[in-house]
Amino acid sequence: MAEGLVARVKRLVSGGVNQLVDSIENVAPDTVMEEAIREVDRAVDQVREELAGVLANKHLANTRLGETTTRHEELQEQIALAVKEGRDDLAEAAIARQLDLEVQIPVLESAVSDAGREEKELEGYIDALQARKREMETELSNFRAAMRQSATDGAAAGAAARKDSAEGKTRKAEEAFDRVMKTASGLPGGVATDKASATKLAELEELARKNRVSERLAALKASARDG
């Protein structure tokens, strides 16, 4: 059975790249990490496709609700006119039509509400997946830094004299990997840059938190004045 969208999102958001690498043997770690990040991208695309369908249904339901409500109001005016003119037969026909519309309106309102709820839920999934991707990219950068540090330590112990050794080849492969990742994603691969990005993200998060506090305080003050 194919994995459901919600289960896939939860697995990707809760899982870790390092744990994934540890669970797979005989596979290059960088390859596994790259594939894990690509899977997150594919999941984001899948959620966005689902979101597009929900938005389309919401639009249709909203349109139908507007048309039904407008028609109900028009009938109300026509009923008043029919009563004024003494045409009870016309008034009865219009009232019967109104009753048909009145049973449809709650269903349409529910459809709009459900679509709105699902829209928010899917948007939350996208935010969570994108946040998880950023974490995975950081984990990947940390992993590469650790590998480079390990190679450097080995070189200091005497391996530097053996440029064609296995460690030297590993280091060269990792450097090539860095270049490929930077070219493919446009993301910086160095540890120093990761730290700089993390600092900026932390500053941005703190700024957003202060903004939320200010907004809530303003809302409370406005409520108190109105009360």
Side-chain angles (χ1 to χ4, degrees):
M1 179 180 295
E3 184 179 25
L5 177 61
V6 175
R8 185 183 186 190
V9 171
K10 289 182 178 178
R11 174 175 58 80
L12 291 173
V13 171
S14 61
V17 172
N18 290 332
Q19 290 87 340
L20 178 62
V21 172
D22 291 341
S23 67
I24 301 177
E25 297 180 351
N26 301 321
V27 178
D30 52 353
T31 300
V32 176
M33 290 179 173
E34 282 183 299
E35 178 56 27
I37 293 174
R38 282 196 294 268
E39 185 177 2
V40 172
D41 285 334
R42 290 193 292 270
V44 170
D45 290 341
Q46 184 182 0
V47 175
R48 282 178 173 155
E49 289 179 5
E50 189 80 11
L51 177 59
V54 169
L55 292 176
N57 290 334
K58 180 182 177 183
H59 174 73
L60 290 174
N62 251 326
T63 301
R64 179 63 179 154
L65 177 60
E67 293 172 347
T68 303
T69 302
T70 299
R71 181 56 182 151
H72 187 276
E73 293 171 352
E74 291 173 348
L75 287 169
Q76 188 63 35
E77 295 176 0
Q78 293 171 356
I79 291 169
L81 177 61
V83 171
K84 182 179 180 181
E85 296 296 328
R87 295 294 304 273
D88 290 354
D89 57 329
L90 297 180
E92 289 175 355
I95 291 171
R97 178 58 182 151
Q98 267 194 329
L99 293 176
D100 288 342
L101 296 177
E102 286 172 3
V103 297
Q104 296 178 41
I105 288 175
V107 176
L108 292 169
E109 289 175 338
S110 177
V112 172
S113 176
D114 290 346
R117 177 184 50 75
E118 194 170 359
E119 174 188 357
K120 290 182 180 179
E121 187 175 68
L122 292 172
E123 288 176 343
Y125 287 165
I126 292 174
D127 290 342
L129 285 168
Q130 290 176 332
R132 188 68 191 102
K133 179 184 176 182
R134 289 192 290 272
E135 290 179 352
M136 294 168 79
E137 288 170 339
T138 299
E139 291 177 17
L140 178 58
S141 295
N142 291 340
F143 174 80
R144 290 200 301 262
M147 292 295 293
R148 283 194 295 271
Q149 185 61 48
S150 176
T152 300
D153 292 344
R162 300 188 295 275
K163 293 183 180 180
D164 294 332
S165 67
E167 290 183 353
K169 292 178 180 179
T170 299
R171 185 168 60 254
K172 290 179 181 178
E174 290 168 357
E175 291 171 353
F177 169 80
D178 285 349
R179 291 194 296 273
V180 171
M181 282 293 292
K182 187 173 182 179
T183 301
S185 64
L187 296 171
V191 176
T193 305
D194 289 341
K195 290 179 178 177
S197 297
T199 300
K200 291 179 180 178
L201 288 173
E203 183 179 355
L204 179 59
E205 184 175 351
E206 178 61 18
L207 181 63
R209 190 186 68 81
K210 289 180 178 178
N211 188 52
R212 289 197 296 272
V213 170
S214 297
E215 289 178 346
R216 181 166 297 185
L217 178 59
L220 290 173
K221 288 181 177 179
S223 178
R225 286 197 300 271
D226 294 341

